[in-house]
Amino acid sequence: MTKAITLAISLIAAPASADWQINMNQGVTALSREIFDLHMLIFWICVVIGVAVFGVMFYSIFKFRKSKGAVAEHWHENTTVEVVWTVIPSIILIAMAIPATATLMDMYDTSEADVEIQVTGHQWKWRYQYLDEDIDFFSNLATSRQEITNEAAKNPNYLLEVDNPLVIPANKKVRFLITANDVIHSWWVPHFAVKKDAIPGFINESWVKVEEPGVYRGQCTELCGKDHGFMPIVVEVKSEADYQQWVSDQRAMKLAMAGEASKEFSMNELVAKGEGVYNTACAGCHQPNGQGIPGAFPAITGSTIATGAIDTHVDIIINGKSGTAMQAFREQLSAVDIAAVVTYQRNALGNSVGDLVQPNTIKN
Amino acid sequence: MATVDVDLPHVKEEDQHHHGPAKGLGRWLYTTNHKDIGSMYLIFSLCMFMIGGIMALIIRAELFQPGLQLVEPNFFNQMTTMHGLIMVFGAVMPAFVGLANWMIPMQVGAPDMALPRMNNWSFWILPFAFLILLSSLFMPGGAPNFGWTFYAPLSTTYAPESVTFFIFGVHIMGASSIMGAINIIATILNMRAPGMTLLRMPLFVWTWLITAFLLIAVMPVLAGVVTMMLMDIHFGTSFFNAAGGGDPVLFQHVFWFFGHPEVYIMILPAFGIISEIIPTFARKRLFGYASMVYAVASIALLSFVVWAHHMFTVGMPLVGEVFFMFATMLIAVPTGVKVFNWVATMFRGSLTFETPMLFALAFVVLFTIGGFSGLMLAIAPADFQYHDTYFVVAHFHYVLVPGAIFSIMAATYYWLPKWTGHQLNETMGKIHFWLSFVGVNITFFPMHFVGLAGMPRRIPDYALQFADFNSMASVGAFIFGFSQLVFIYNVIQNVRVGEKATAQVWEGAQGLEWTVPSPAPYHTFSTPPKVD
Amino acid sequence: MTEQNEKQTKRLVVRLATAAIAMFGFGFALVPLYDVFCEITGLNGKNFNQGPAKVSSVDRSRTVKIQFVTVNPASMPWEFKPNERSIRVFPGQDRQTAFYARNPTAHWMVAQAVPSVTPSEAAPYLHKVNCFCFDRQPLEAGADIEMPLLFVVDPKLPEHISTITLSYALYDLTEKQNVTHTIPNKNKGQVTL
């Protein structure tokens, strides 16, 4: 026992950068603070009731011991007392329900929003579409494989970092339209107190109005398959001016990417670029070494598609394969990315077909 | 419960017209004796508790530190799923059925269960259900990996092939539970000794009667929902598939219509056990017997109208959220009454602290803590922050481990001398209790903290800020897990050796079961006792 | 057990077993019950209002923003988008709009659009007079189509709702086209191909 405790203490002290947060985040919106206050109110009510009940219980345990000569009394019911301890908790519950209902009504506010973003859960990434801005991108986990498998030191935002964060303006009502592509996911940012299930075929909504610019992190909270733990959410809240700047940068980037698609690439360029695309978009299922998971996800190495006709290979990546977990990557990857990843899969991971495909021949 | 005063016509009956148990394996295969079947249920559930426990330790070992060390995420999901299914359907429920088999006939003065042959069946199909379920671990694609709540479409369109075996297994367990429930109701309603009126029945019998009705009401709904899944997967229907006009949210409604009463199926018999043990060791009658019965009945009724509190984030209309929030909060009233009654039973009693009482006291305190977090979860707006985090994991483990499991351990220690005829080894019992008590709290209390801080449940790896409390929880889990070896040692030793137990066993114990010798003869109450 | 007791037990067992079977049926009955419930409350944003509308007057005192979003679930490769992202209408006013779909694959496909409305409270007030989602949509390889939607918002829409989002998830039914629906048919206008 003592051994176990010393072991426990030494082990607990080990991880370096952990903290001892024990309570809910107050968050950064009026609503999240309202919810926090409600949480604390209920908590303290529970503490008071707990102290009273356990107080009487421990008093009985110490006072009415047989070893101290206590003799049991014979009463075993008392209607008055029983009515009292039925009625008082009921009153306390009503007292709890009133502020809770008020907060709930604030959450269901349906007034018009300034920015509207469609959030779609995919296995295992998020897609953000800005409905009025023609901005559309996927947000993937950015933590490196080495950090996850303990081959590299973990950075402070381990598992809570993405390649493309969601960007929203401060002090504007942002409305999220939440849905899913495959299975049920749930979009949660603790600091916003926003958590809503993303359900395939159906749409849900939630909203947020953040006062201070900053970076806020969350995670998927509905079990959605293998990499449920690896699809974080990062939201960058920017001032109005910075947000507008970001929007125009996004447009410029889109133009630049379109230009890139008409360029000719060498085999080495494509393979190098393809490796990055593969690790973000494919390795989750087909595994970093291309071996897949038998019975669940097929291997790329030696696969008839990755070593067969190149057009079929491109087609399955663009259009997916219905009835399987293979998604259509048309909207997720640019023409350059598709060309790169196809070329990579054919000439790496143990395959050596020797051919390549240029982005300009990939027509969406 | 009425004071029971009986004459004992059964002492000599053994040599009159009954035989002892048959010899060898046949005894166990063909037995229709409630005590044999009760023992088999209990041993089976102990095996399942160990298997489910090993899975829990694999989960906790992986979560000991951030990063992936031991298992792949997909296997991790299989572990969380199988751990949940095995603990719920394989450990807790069969243990309560085993206790019911042993104790209900003896507590109501019946010679056996009402339907002894069906009793044999309802036990013997159970091992096959779990063999099927466990065999899926070795199938291509692996075991079910969609959580014990198996939300569609992750469990239908996106499930591994073994899902069909899982469905088949659930059907068999459901059939077993329904048969068990019918048997228990028939025994309680038709086999009571003369004078054993309903309002004189021990609370364990009462809680089980209500639980059995819950089982009959909801196990078929579970069978229905898995059948719909089966049809969606193999016969092209679209109950839960939006593409064909179905709705994945419908799955959750039907599942939780089963699932919430199921939660009470796992706790009501525990209330009964605790209501037996506390009066014994307080040497004082249970306070508010009638209100205890009414409280259990109202908890059972309310359990049918609160299911959607598991689904606050699914996108319900405001009215729905408010209704389910109010209905859920209401459950706190009868639950509170039960806790107050237990405390009032101890007040001005004459307490001693043998092992069963220690477990019962830990039950009252820790279950109440689980109840408090349950009340917090009922508050819909706050639930948006708690839902599917470790706060929920902490909550339901507090009501299930130091709740249901502790009550089963308390019951085992309490009635073990009656079953084996040997007095308990108190020292070993206390070692087991304190290790378990400390282990459980180290494991599950920190989960409240990481949950509130933002750690989602069912993840194989986590952000660095959650590291400290997770390693703490893992250490606790290993303490709790290995302390169960003390329990097994205790039970085995008690079967083999030990001081001869008296019929009364515990000084303050009341009830028919204490009027028969220890160990209880193979056949008891062949002639009904008279209860005055 | 006495004979009378045995009879009683038998009767009880029959009753309990019947109850269990009835509850199994009830599990299935929850499916249509759920639909009725959804239709009344708009639960889950399901939208059942179809066919000719019985709206008497146009409420010109306010406008409602109707927003269209599309989702291509699972591996649906079609291009699918609304022609208009959002429009403002008076409650009670008929409005026609269209969605664009293209089948970029090299084979013939059939799709079905599944509608969903948020906030769900608004679902009972959004009335689709005519919608492409009533029918399955076949498309030859490489073909495209404009699919019409004619709708009207009930003037009884609660005042506090200013935006209604109508989402369409487009599912690939090419392989399922011969499967008839075994559950109560919600898509009344649906044509089985």
Side-chain angles (χ1 to χ4, degrees):
Chain A
M1 189 66 207
T2 20
K3 233 182 185 175
I5 292 172
T6 21
L7 182 74
I9 292 167
S10 66
L11 287 169
I12 287 160
S17 63
D19 57 31
W20 295 92
Q21 181 182 350
I22 58 167
N23 203 354
M24 190 189 277
N25 295 301
Q26 263 185 300
V28 289
T29 68
L31 196 60
S32 75
R33 280 190 297 271
E34 203 178 321
I35 289 175
F36 177 82
D37 292 341
L38 187 63
H39 155 75
M40 290 314 288
L41 172 73
I42 309 296
F43 171 74
W44 284 115
I45 291 175
C46 288
V47 168
V48 170
I49 299 172
V51 166
V53 174
F54 297 148
V56 177
M57 182 170 161
F58 285 107
Y59 174 77
S60 309
I61 289 175
F62 289 110
K63 183 85 197 222
F64 308 115
R65 288 170 175 253
K66 197 187 174 205
S67 58
K68 285 187 176 172
V71 178
E73 296 192 1
H74 290 286
W75 47 264
H76 56 85
E77 54 197 350
N78 183 327
T79 315
T80 323
V81 173
E82 289 172 60
V83 168
V84 165
W85 67 39
T86 311
V87 171
I88 290 179
S90 309
I91 294 169
I92 296 175
L93 287 177
I94 293 168
M96 286 177 174
I98 292 168
T101 311
T103 307
L104 210 49
M105 284 163 80
D106 291 342
M107 294 177 88
Y108 276 72
D109 172 72
T110 47
S111 63
E112 210 159 316
D114 304 307
V115 177
E116 286 170 306
I117 301 170
Q118 185 178 348
V119 177
T120 311
H122 285 243
Q123 279 183 326
W124 293 279
K125 58 204 138 212
W126 294 97
R127 180 185 186 179
Y128 300 113
Q129 287 161 283
Y130 292 65
L131 292 181
D132 299 321
E133 305 289 353
D134 200 27
I135 296 174
D136 176 1
F137 58 87
F138 282 80
S139 182
N140 296 285
L141 176 72
T143 302
S144 72
R145 186 83 208 156
Q146 285 73 22
E147 285 173 69
I148 295 171
T149 54
N150 312 305
E151 290 154 54
K154 297 177 179 24
N155 80 80
N157 291 324
Y158 177 70
L159 293 187
L160 296 177
E161 48 189 344
V162 296
D163 52 0
N164 303 306
L166 175 67
V167 177
I168 59 170
N171 289 311
K172 296 268 179 189
K173 183 175 176 183
V174 181
R175 181 163 167 256
F176 301 111
L177 294 161
I178 301 168
T179 184
N181 176 63
D182 30 50
V183 299
I184 300 176
H185 303 265
S186 190
W187 197 82
W188 181 34
V189 179
H191 282 91
F192 299 169
V194 168
K195 183 186 284 155
K196 210 67 184 225
D197 289 359
I199 300 161
F202 295 89
I203 194 135
N204 266 329
E205 67 174 272
S206 198
W207 63 274
V208 70
K209 191 169 183 180
V210 188
E211 291 132 10
E212 285 298 311
V215 178
Y216 305 102
R217 295 166 202 275
Q219 281 174 277
C220 175
T221 46
E222 182 63 66
L223 179 62
C224 56
K226 186 171 77 65
D227 283 348
H228 162 55
F230 303 91
M231 50 181 291
I233 295 149
V234 178
V235 185
E236 263 180 45
V237 181
K238 289 185 189 287
S239 68
E240 175 63 17
D242 289 354
Y243 174 74
Q244 288 308 337
Q245 181 61 43
W246 178 82
V247 169
S248 49
D249 288 353
Q250 290 294 307
R251 292 208 182 103
M253 241 171 66
K254 205 174 171 184
L255 283 175
M257 265 171 52
E260 184 125 299
S262 55
K263 267 181 26 191
E264 285 279 322
F265 289 81
S266 76
M267 170 76 101
N268 285 345
E269 281 174 324
L270 285 173
V271 170
K273 199 172 172 50
E275 183 172 7
V277 178
Y278 181 85
N279 284 329
T280 315
C282 318
C285 298
H286 298 291
Q287 301 302 298
N289 56 9
Q291 297 303 314
I293 296 176
F297 307 112
I300 300 291
T301 312
S303 106
T304 50
I305 288 166
T307 57
I310 198 162
D311 289 347
T312 323
H313 190 178
V314 171
D315 181 71
I316 202 163
I317 287 175
I318 294 180
N319 293 324
K321 187 170 180 198
S322 71
T324 70
M326 181 62 196
Q327 302 165 5
F329 283 90
R330 166 188 322 282
E331 288 164 324
Q332 296 188 41
L333 300 178
S334 68
V336 178
D337 287 344
I338 291 173
V341 81
V342 167
T343 310
Y344 174 75
Q345 290 182 353
R346 300 176 77 79
N347 299 292
L349 304 168
N351 296 333
S352 49
V353 186
D355 56 355
L356 59 78
V357 58
Q358 289 295 345
N360 54 21
T361 61
I362 289 175
K363 45 181 196 307
N364 265 344
Chain B
M1 186 183 39
T3 347
V4 177
D5 187 15
V6 287
D7 48 353
L8 302 165
H10 53 275
V11 178
K12 274 185 291 168
E13 80 207 17
E14 254 176 292
D15 18 43
Q16 286 168 4
H17 50 88
H18 279 297
H19 312 285
K23 297 272 176 265
L25 191 64
R27 164 178 176 184
W28 301 104
L29 275 179
Y30 305 124
T31 184
T32 55
N33 181 287
H34 72 101
K35 299 187 183 78
D36 282 352
I37 295 174
S39 303
M40 288 196 295
Y41 264 114
L42 288 169
I43 292 166
F44 174 78
S45 95
L46 185 62
C47 295
M48 285 298 138
F49 180 56
M50 288 297 132
I51 294 174
I54 289 168
M55 290 171 176
L57 293 186
I58 294 174
I59 293 169
R60 281 317 321 170
E62 176 55 56
L63 291 175
F64 180 62
Q65 283 193 321
L68 292 178
Q69 289 89 10
L70 300 169
V71 297
E72 284 300 310
N74 193 39
F75 187 73
F76 182 90
N77 289 346
Q78 294 175 31
M79 286 295 106
T80 54
T81 307
M82 297 292 270
H83 163 73
L85 288 169
I86 286 176
M87 288 302 196
V88 169
F89 295 104
V92 174
M93 288 170 66
F96 282 135
V97 181
L99 291 169
N101 257 291
W102 252 104
M103 302 320 300
I104 286 176
M106 279 163 70
Q107 288 192 321
V108 300
D112 204 311
M113 297 293 280
L115 308 149
R117 280 184 296 275
M118 189 165 88
N119 203 12
N120 174 294
W121 261 89
S122 52
F123 172 75
W124 273 112
I125 59 176
L126 211 48
F128 293 97
F130 283 89
L131 273 181
I132 291 170
L133 189 63
L134 285 168
S135 70
S136 66
L137 275 168
F138 306 99
M139 290 177 190
N145 55 5
F146 31 67
W148 88 275
T149 51
F150 52 100
Y151 280 9
L154 188 63
S155 63
T156 54
T157 321
Y158 294 82
E161 307 233 320
S162 58
V163 66
T164 308
F165 291 85
F166 154 81
I167 290 171
F168 192 44
V170 169
H171 272 138
I172 302 177
M173 310 165 194
S176 162
S177 293
I178 292 167
M179 288 197 280
I182 290 178
N183 211 341
I184 286 167
I185 294 175
T187 309
I188 296 173
L189 294 186
N190 283 352
M191 306 272 291
R192 294 192 313 278
M196 178 61 80
T197 56
L198 284 177
L199 280 171
R200 275 182 175 179
M201 294 194 309
L203 257 168
F204 180 64
V205 180
W206 253 117
T207 52
W208 239 118
L209 180 65
I210 292 164
T211 304
F213 277 111
L214 281 182
L215 277 168
I216 288 180
V218 301
M219 287 312 280
V221 177
L222 174 70
V225 75
V226 294
T227 308
M228 291 181 219
M229 279 170 64
L230 188 77
M231 291 165 77
D232 270 10
I233 295 168
H234 293 292
F235 305 121
T237 57
S238 300
F239 287 103
F240 309 130
N241 186 355
D247 184 348
V249 177
L250 169 67
F251 174 90
Q252 297 183 26
H253 282 288
V254 186
F255 177 83
W256 285 114
F257 184 83
F258 146 79
H260 203 77
E262 166 70 19
V263 173
Y264 293 124
I265 286 167
M266 292 190 285
I267 203 66
L268 296 186
F271 290 165
I273 292 164
I274 301 308
S275 306
E276 302 282 307
I277 292 175
I278 288 181
T280 296
F281 297 97
R283 290 163 185 77
K284 184 159 159 275
R285 273 177 68 183
L286 181 68
F287 184 85
Y289 172 85
S291 67
M292 283 300 223
V293 173
Y294 297 136
V296 173
S298 45
I299 291 173
L301 285 177
L302 281 172
S303 77
F304 286 104
V305 291
V306 297
W307 77 88
H309 68 218
H310 297 267
M311 304 165 56
F312 279 144
T313 63
V314 90
M316 267 191 287
L318 183 60
V319 196
E321 302 259 335
V322 171
F323 172 81
F324 285 107
M325 173 169 81
F326 285 2
T328 307
M329 291 171 79
L330 218 53
I331 291 186
V333 175
T335 313
V337 166
K338 300 200 72 80
V339 173
F340 300 146
N341 282 357
W342 288 324
V343 173
T345 307
M346 287 186 260
F347 192 75
R348 296 205 180 280
S350 170
L351 299 167
T352 51
F353 303 93
E354 288 87 342
T355 310
M357 182 62 162
L358 289 177
F359 275 101
L361 293 176
F363 173 96
V364 175
V365 175
L366 301 182
F367 173 80
T368 305
I369 291 176
F372 285 143
S373 56
L375 184 59
M376 293 170 79
L377 284 159
I379 309 294
D383 184 72
F384 281 86
Q385 290 284 55
Y386 308 136
H387 180 78
D388 266 346
T389 67
Y390 259 81
F391 190 76
V392 177
V393 178
H395 159 70
F396 69 73
H397 280 94
Y398 257 86
V399 291
L400 284 176
V401 183
I405 302 275
F406 270 24
S407 81
I408 293 164
M409 286 167 177
T412 310
Y413 283 124
Y414 184 56
W415 283 310
L416 198 60
K418 180 58 63 189
W419 304 336
T420 65
H422 295 138
Q423 210 58 273
L424 209 63
N425 181 338
E426 275 297 329
T427 319
M428 290 302 287
K430 287 195 167 102
I431 291 174
H432 173 222
F433 168 75
W434 284 109
L435 283 176
S436 294
F437 181 80
V438 170
V440 153
N441 284 295
I442 297 180
T443 312
F444 299 116
F445 210 80
M447 290 186 184
H448 291 113
F449 302 147
V450 286
L452 289 175
M455 179 168 163
R457 65 192 278 209
R458 293 166 166 171
I459 55 173
D461 195 5
Y462 48 82
L464 298 180
Q465 54 171 324
F466 309 126
D468 291 345
F469 285 125
N470 267 291
S471 31
M472 198 174 181
S474 293
V475 170
F478 277 85
I479 297 175
F480 179 69
F482 282 96
S483 67
Q484 300 325 307
L485 298 177
V486 181
F487 177 61
I488 294 176
Y489 172 84
N490 255 350
V491 173
I492 293 174
Q493 279 304 96
N494 188 273
V495 173
R496 294 175 54 217
V497 289
E499 205 185 310
K500 179 96 185 70
T502 59
Q504 179 62 28
V505 184
W506 311 105
E507 186 192 23
Q510 306 261 338
L512 284 177
E513 75 262 40
W514 308 108
T515 63
V516 303
S518 303
Y522 197 57
H523 297 285
T524 38
F525 300 124
S526 298
T527 317
K530 254 182 88 89
V531 184
D532 304 313
Chain C
M1 227 186 309
T2 63
E3 202 171 303
Q4 194 227 342
N5 214 333
E6 219 159 303
K7 235 188 212 160
Q8 260 180 13
T9 304
K10 210 171 166 187
R11 210 170 48 218
L12 183 63
V13 170
V14 170
R15 278 189 196 158
L16 292 173
T18 315
I21 293 165
M23 283 311 290
F24 183 72
F26 178 73
F28 281 85
L30 282 174
V31 178
L33 279 176
Y34 175 73
D35 279 343
V36 171
F37 199 67
C38 288
E39 190 160 2
I40 297 166
T41 61
L43 186 71
N44 208 15
K46 286 201 186 187
N47 186 253
F48 293 95
N49 304 317
Q50 301 178 347
K54 288 186 226 84
V55 175
S56 46
S57 61
V58 178
D59 173 5
R60 295 195 184 272
S61 65
R62 58 172 172 156
T63 58
V64 184
K65 180 174 163 191
I66 310 292
Q67 187 176 42
F68 302 104
V69 300
T70 56
V71 197
N72 279 18
S75 307
M76 184 57 173
W78 287 19
E79 202 178 311
F80 176 47
K81 56 176 196 262
N83 283 358
E84 297 167 282
R85 282 251 165 238
S86 69
I87 42 190
R88 285 195 170 273
V89 294
F90 294 115
Q93 170 197 13
D94 282 3
R95 181 66 155 80
Q96 171 118 20
T97 183
F99 285 65
Y100 172 80
R102 185 173 75 91
N103 174 5
T105 66
H107 48 91
W108 178 87
M109 287 178 75
V110 187
Q112 167 78 53
V114 174
S116 173
V117 174
T118 185
S120 57
E121 200 187 344
Y125 303 96
L126 183 66
H127 196 101
K128 287 178 295 220
V129 181
N130 191 12
C131 174
F132 59 95
C133 60
F134 296 171
D135 302 305
R136 292 183 182 187
Q137 179 64 55
L139 270 187
E140 293 298 336
D144 61 358
I145 190 173
E146 297 254 327
M147 303 183 293
L149 165 68
L150 177 63
F151 69 91
V152 56
V153 176
D154 193 322
K156 290 198 277 291
L157 179 79
E159 290 285 337
H160 63 91
I161 297 176
S162 52
T163 309
I164 301 178
T165 305
L166 175 57
S167 139
Y168 283 104
L170 192 69
Y171 281 94
D172 173 9
L173 293 188
T174 312
E175 280 166 22
K176 278 199 170 182
Q177 52 164 318
N178 292 322
V179 178
T180 42
H181 290 246
T182 38
I183 55 172
N185 194 344
K186 287 164 235 168
N187 302 323
K188 293 178 193 107
Q190 178 178 300
V191 176
T192 314
L193 290 165

